[in-house]
Amino acid sequence: MEKKRVVIVGAGVSGLAACKHLLERGCRPVVFEADTVIGGVWAHVPDCTALQTPRPLYQYSDFPWPEDVTEVFPDHHQVRTYLNAYARHFGVLDCIQFGHRVVGMEFDGVGEEATAAWDEWASNGKAFGAGDGEWCLTVADAEGRVERHKADFVILCIGRFSGVPNVPTFPPGKGPEVFDGQVIHSMDYARMGTKKAQEMMKGKRVTVIGYLKSALDIAAECAEVNGTDHPCTMVVRTKHWIIPDYVAWGVHISKLYLNRFAELLIHKPGESLFLRLLATVLTPLRWLFSKFAESYYSIPMKKYDMVPDHSLFEALAAGLIAITPKDHYKRLEEGSIVLKKSKTFSFCKNGVLVEGESFPIESDLVIYGTGFKGDDKIKDMFTSKYFQSTAVGSTSSTVPLYRQCINPKIPQLAVIGYSESIANLYTSELRAKWLAHFLDGGFKLPNVAAMQKDVLEWEKCMKRYSGRYFRRSSIVLLHIWYNDQLCHDMGCNPRRKKGFFSDLFDVYGPGDYVDLDPKKK
């Protein structure tokens, strides 16, 4: 391992974990980070941004939060401090080259036709293949100087919620070009920093497009700055389950959705006939759980006609739940935030036109809280058209990743951090441990056909439960089933709890995998 050239792209929560676990195996990877700081999405966020996942689930298994952090949802300053402490403690910072952006990659030594014809991944199912191929990366530094780097293996930890903004498109004469005001994306807003962002919004009529995490945080900051004198308008194209916490009628919903018992209510990829029949029989119970939680969370939503059209179960399955910023409903009540529901919108000279309104929403500033194009972020890493199309698949399928990490048709490369989970940091760490074990010769991958079959099984499950959001590749409601597969690959016992009832009804988290000891097969 110490002789292998491994490159990690990105120093967010996934890249840090991947580097740490490789260092433990004797490999010293090079980490290219385009930014000047670590943290990925946490490096630049609105000031009011906090965790959406309870703190005990959002931590590395062998690096607990400091005792003075007691909040259930730590703020972004605390998260960044935690990530920096982790990187320093495990010597990860020494491996990072900041201000270095990977602008292209190509696979040298083996032609595309040959790699496409392989029955075994990378020709033999092993991490570094037969030694015939290598990745050549084009890397640009902050001054624009370009270097070429070679790697035996590349790990993409570039995330999906940054870098390539999802900017709406419009017919001619209906877009921002006809608008007299300013239009930016939440990514631009976050990079400004709190002081500049507040100065930009102060005294202006601000319209925010979207109703998920970024949009909610920006609207909250705008309401804080302008109050009811200049209300912030949110154009809501899709209603979402925006909840205050994870407790409904006194019951923590993790007990309903995030344990082994809850997974018995769901059809799982590769399940046995018995489990398939059991999931079918228990389906009404799953519906009952969802209605129970919805009856609580929908109470404040009904007043503003904001109860989503899809179930809470589907939202959780797709990873489309957001925690309300502090005083969100209070601001709706006082009028410092105004909601406008409209499936479509367009621009005019004075502002934004929405359905059901005779006059435009007069605006000085429009901010897109419309998310990012995670697929393009992966695709754009490759210079080859073949690898670009292979990397993300078609829009009618999920991104083809075996174990949510390995593309069956792209050799000597892994992706960590694309698939959504109960807590991305916790799942990314387990994937990093799995990948480090694979790179160290701990196991061989199945043949390409078997991996593709497994990918299709997971795709079928995601389409069944996540609906139109299947491309998010969310494993939120099957994270234990998924973790079990990683444990089996590593030769570890997947049952991490003590006692039958604890294993069945308690929520699995980072602490359950702290002493995971992979065995070579």
Side-chain angles (χ1 to χ4, degrees):
M1 282 284 281
E2 57 271 8
K3 295 181 180 178
K4 297 299 183 183
R5 301 166 299 174
V6 178
V7 166
I8 298 171
V9 184
V13 296
S14 301
L16 298 179
C19 184
K20 181 260 187 184
H21 284 284
L22 286 174
L23 286 171
E24 289 184 341
R25 298 272 179 163
C27 175
R28 191 165 185 82
V30 175
V31 183
F32 291 122
E33 170 53 55
D35 209 333
T36 56
V37 293
I38 67 169
V41 293
W42 290 106
H44 306 283
V45 292
D47 197 51
C48 67
T49 301
L51 272 180
Q52 297 283 283
T53 306
R55 171 177 41 79
L57 287 177
Y58 199 90
Q59 69 176 35
Y60 296 108
S61 62
D62 53 0
F63 196 75
W65 283 84
E67 292 183 0
D68 60 349
V69 179
T70 58
E71 294 84 352
V72 176
F73 301 109
D75 64 36
H76 72 98
H77 297 292
Q78 294 168 306
V79 175
R80 287 173 59 182
T81 299
Y82 172 75
L83 296 177
N84 273 287
Y86 176 86
R88 285 195 306 272
H89 182 77
F90 291 108
V92 173
L93 289 176
D94 295 337
C95 298
I96 303 174
Q97 294 190 21
F98 291 104
H100 284 68
R101 181 184 300 277
V102 177
V103 296
M105 293 168 33
E106 49 193 30
F107 193 66
D108 291 340
V110 183
E112 291 173 1
E113 290 185 6
T115 60
W118 281 337
D119 294 327
E120 297 286 336
W121 186 82
S123 80
N124 60 6
K126 297 181 180 180
F128 302 103
D132 300 323
E134 63 182 8
W135 286 100
C136 185
L137 294 85
T138 303
V139 183
D141 67 16
E143 283 72 43
R145 292 186 294 265
V146 175
E147 301 172 347
R148 302 274 280 179
H149 293 263
K150 294 185 180 296
D152 301 308
F153 199 97
V154 174
I155 308 172
L156 298 181
C157 300
I158 54 179
R160 59 185 298 173
F161 299 115
S162 63
V164 184
N166 179 32
V167 177
T169 56
F170 304 89
K174 299 289 185 179
E177 72 277 3
V178 301
F179 176 48
D180 279 349
Q182 183 181 5
V183 180
I184 63 172
H185 189 272
S186 61
M187 180 179 76
D188 307 311
Y189 177 94
R191 285 189 172 274
M192 286 181 183
T194 303
K195 186 177 180 181
K196 285 187 177 179
Q198 290 180 347
E199 289 174 354
M200 175 185 66
M201 291 190 296
K202 190 168 181 61
K204 291 183 180 177
R205 299 166 297 178
V206 180
T207 297
V208 177
I209 311 297
Y211 198 63
L212 272 173
K213 184 57 182 165
S214 294
L216 289 163
D217 284 346
I218 292 170
E221 291 198 352
C222 182
E224 186 73 25
V225 171
N226 288 333
T228 55
D229 293 337
H230 298 283
C232 175
T233 302
M234 298 189 76
V235 177
V236 182
R237 296 183 294 173
T238 303
K239 302 174 189 176
H240 290 289
W241 288 98
I242 310 302
I243 61 180
D245 51 37
Y246 294 108
V247 178
W249 300 117
V251 178
H252 202 288
I253 63 170
S254 63
K255 299 294 185 182
L256 308 179
Y257 292 108
L258 301 176
N259 52 25
R260 285 194 186 277
F261 178 76
E263 292 191 358
L264 293 176
L265 282 57
I266 303 172
H267 290 286
K268 295 167 284 294
E271 66 187 353
S272 65
L273 177 61
F274 172 73
L275 289 177
R276 192 178 311 133
L277 291 172
L278 190 61
T280 301
V281 171
L282 294 176
T283 293
L285 187 57
R286 190 185 74 222
W287 177 87
L288 187 63
F289 284 173
S290 193
K291 291 300 178 185
F292 170 80
E294 287 173 23
S295 68
Y296 177 80
Y297 290 130
S298 63
I299 291 173
M301 298 178 182
K302 288 176 180 176
K303 182 175 181 179
Y304 303 97
D305 187 27
M306 288 299 292
V307 179
D309 299 323
H310 56 281
S311 69
L312 179 64
F313 171 83
E314 185 177 327
L316 282 164
L320 279 170
I321 294 286
I323 298 294
T324 53
K326 183 182 177 183
D327 297 330
H328 177 66
Y329 285 105
K330 177 184 174 184
R331 288 179 173 127
L332 291 179
E333 182 72 31
E334 71 185 15
S336 59
I337 296 178
V338 177
L339 303 179
K340 297 289 184 180
K341 296 176 283 294
S342 178
K343 292 290 184 183
T344 62
F345 74 100
S346 60
F347 287 90
C348 65
K349 181 181 175 65
N350 297 326
V352 175
L353 297 166
V354 297
E355 299 168 3
E357 297 284 339
S358 303
F359 300 98
I361 303 168
E362 294 189 352
S363 312
D364 303 304
L365 172 64
V366 175
I367 305 174
Y368 295 142
T370 49
F372 296 85
K373 294 182 177 180
D375 295 0
D376 286 357
K377 201 172 182 184
I378 293 178
K379 184 175 68 174
D380 292 347
M381 296 299 300
F382 302 93
T383 55
S384 154
K385 295 294 184 185
Y386 166 73
F387 282 128
Q388 284 181 354
S389 61
T390 303
V392 298
S394 72
T395 55
S396 62
S397 67
T398 56
V399 172
L401 294 173
Y402 175 74
R403 298 290 192 256
Q404 307 305 320
C405 290
I406 302 285
N407 189 303
K409 302 297 285 184
I410 302 182
Q412 295 164 232
L413 180 136
V415 178
I416 299 182
Y418 180 86
S419 170
E420 285 287 281
S421 179
I422 178 178
N424 290 338
L425 180 147
Y426 143 53
T427 307
S428 288
E429 185 197 18
L430 197 56
R431 287 174 184 151
K433 189 172 287 192
W434 176 88
L435 185 61
H437 189 54
F438 171 55
L439 265 66
D440 201 17
F443 60 91
K444 255 183 75 173
L445 292 176
N447 61 44
V448 170
M451 287 198 289
Q452 289 176 325
K453 181 181 178 182
D454 185 81
V455 168
L456 287 174
E457 285 286 323
W458 278 92
E459 178 184 304
K460 188 189 305 180
C461 177
M462 290 166 181
K463 286 182 174 179
R464 180 174 195 162
Y465 295 121
S466 299
R468 62 192 174 113
Y469 300 109
F470 69 90
R471 286 283 286 184
R472 292 175 66 87
S473 299
S474 171
I475 60 166
V476 170
L477 297 183
L478 285 176
H479 75 281
I480 304 175
W481 181 262
Y482 170 79
N483 291 350
D484 287 354
Q485 295 183 336
L486 299 185
C487 287
H488 283 304
D489 292 344
M490 292 186 282
C492 300
N493 181 8
R495 302 282 177 171
R496 313 301 301 172
K497 302 283 190 184
K498 292 181 180 179
F500 174 79
F501 289 103
S502 177
D503 193 66
L504 188 62
F505 294 108
D506 287 350
V507 180
Y508 267 67
D512 295 304
Y513 299 95
V514 65
D515 57 349
L516 201 68
D517 185 22
K519 305 288 192 302
K520 287 194 175 184
K521 294 183 179 180

